[in-house]
Amino acid sequence: LDEEDAESWNNLASVYLRLNSRDHRREGDDDLRPDQSDRNDAVWYNKRLAFRALQQGLKNSYSNWRMWSNYMVVSVDVGELAEACRALGRVVEERSEKEGKESVDIEVLERLISAVTRSSDLDESAEKDTRPSNPNEGLGLYARLDDLFAQIILPRVADDSRIWKARAQLLTWRTRWSDALEAYNAAYRCDVVTNTQLEVDLQSWKEAVVHVEEYIDVLRNFGPRAAMEQSSGDEQGKKKRGGTWQFQARSVLRTFMGRTRDAFEDEPEWKHLEGVEEELKHL
């Protein structure tokens, strides 16, 4: 096998992924498996070999987004989430100009975020002055994902609410309340503010009603925390924008109702919006 032939390595990876036999291990390859319980797992073993083959092939095919995409999926399967994060970034870099938000594999992105948010690293780091030791979870993966959003995804793809909500989830885990609130605001803008159909299509309007209520709940839950954060030393240099969360919630609802009143004032959901409006007046 030519070590510089990327296509050959890609083909070899495909072969490994199709193998079901348990008889393809080589002597000395025990280090491929993460622990003793996996030593008889041929499926995992072959995926690990595919991971290595793709890793080698990409050294000579850096711009091949399809190979990066395969590498991303296999990396997730074998637990190499830091590499999956890197691969996702390369796919977005190569495809976003033509494909836009379709270049972002949102399922992989959300799985990476889950690997961060289910970790107890944040609690442990508060008790011990230690650096994260595992790049595939918790704080070790958080830094890579934060850079992925800030440096690669959002400068290229900023019109998808699911991406913004994923970003908000990551920031929430890190207790960056103001930044998380801004991410939820961006998601709301994608779902409602820029949606021209909600003024003419009943189903789109009903979906928007749900988004409005969800965003008001976000303001209710995150607003006080963001306000405290902005007034603390952790947020020095940041100016408080947009007034109180109560004011923002009232403004969001008032703008939405004013925009859609003529078309949908007679719908049952309208009464519910009026109830929310009345509730916000007393906050």
Side-chain angles (χ1 to χ4, degrees), residues 108-126:
V108 169
L109 182 61
E110 290 175 342
R111 185 165 176 179
L112 294 175
I113 290 171
S114 178
V116 172
T117 58
R118 68 171 179 253
S119 169
S120 61
D121 271 8
L122 199 57
D123 296 332
E124 293 174 357
S125 68

Side-chain angles (χ1 to χ4, degrees), residues 116 159 268 279-280 283:
V116 172
D159 60 348
E279 178 187 345
L280 290 174
L283 294 178

Side-chain angles (χ1 to χ4, degrees), residues 19-221:
L19 286 175
N20 292 317
S21 171
R22 295 177 181 268
D23 299 323
H24 294 276
R25 297 191 186 122
R26 295 185 303 238
E27 185 177 351
D29 273 351
D30 283 350
D31 63 297
L32 290 173
R33 289 167 292 283
D35 54 50
Q36 186 67 31
S37 64
D38 288 313
R39 291 185 182 272
N40 293 320
D41 190 342
V43 174
W44 186 92
Y45 175 83
N46 289 326
K47 285 182 178 180
R48 189 70 187 183
L49 291 176
F51 169 80
R52 286 188 171 182
L54 289 167
Q55 194 172 48
Q56 179 65 34
L58 284 167
K59 293 178 181 179
N60 297 289
S61 190
Y62 190 73
S63 299
N64 188 331
W65 71 263
R66 288 185 176 84
M67 192 178 295
W68 278 109
S69 183
N70 292 338
Y71 183 60
M72 173 184 67
V73 173
V74 173
S75 294
V76 170
D77 286 345
V78 298
E80 296 284 353
L81 301 188
E83 284 298 286
C85 183
R86 183 168 76 98
L88 176 56
R90 287 295 301 127
V91 173
V92 173
E93 287 174 332
E94 293 296 330
R95 297 188 66 205
S96 59
E97 185 174 350
K98 292 183 179 180
E99 303 295 332
K101 64 184 179 182
E102 299 302 321
S103 65
V104 182
D105 191 318
I106 191 66
E107 284 78 17
V108 169
L109 182 61
E110 290 175 342
R111 185 165 176 179
L112 294 175
I113 290 171
S114 178
V116 172
T117 58
R118 68 171 179 253
S119 169
S120 61
D121 271 8
L122 199 57
D123 296 332
E124 293 174 357
S125 68
E127 299 174 1
K128 303 176 183 178
D129 186 16
T130 58
R131 293 184 178 181
S133 58
N134 189 344
N136 297 311
E137 65 178 17
L139 286 169
L141 185 56
Y142 164 81
R144 291 169 171 81
L145 275 171
D146 193 39
D147 284 343
L148 176 65
F149 276 111
Q151 304 299 327
I152 297 177
I153 294 179
L154 293 178
R156 295 169 172 83
V157 183
D159 60 348
D160 186 85
S161 64
R162 195 170 169 185
I163 291 173
W164 280 110
K165 288 175 182 177
R167 169 73 166 157
Q169 185 181 0
L170 184 69
L171 294 169
T172 299
W173 178 81
R174 198 64 179 91
T175 65
R176 291 168 56 183
W177 306 114
S178 296
D179 292 336
L181 194 54
E182 287 184 10
Y184 277 120
N185 176 265
Y188 174 76
R189 292 183 62 82
C190 292
D191 282 331
V192 178
V193 177
T194 62
N195 186 350
T196 58
Q197 292 300 306
L198 60 87
E199 296 166 274
V200 295
D201 179 72
L202 178 59
Q203 185 58 38
S204 295
W205 178 78
K206 288 183 177 181
E207 292 173 0
V209 169
V210 175
H211 293 313
V212 169
E213 288 197 77
E214 288 177 346
Y215 183 50
I216 289 174
D217 285 340
V218 166
L219 288 169
R220 193 193 314 270
N221 293 324

Side-chain angles (χ1 to χ4, degrees), residues 1-13 16 53 56-57:
L1 189 65
D2 186 351
E3 290 191 2
E4 296 184 358
D5 186 350
E7 191 60 32
S8 294
W9 286 106
N10 189 54
N11 291 338
L12 179 61
Y16 284 135
Q56 179 65 34

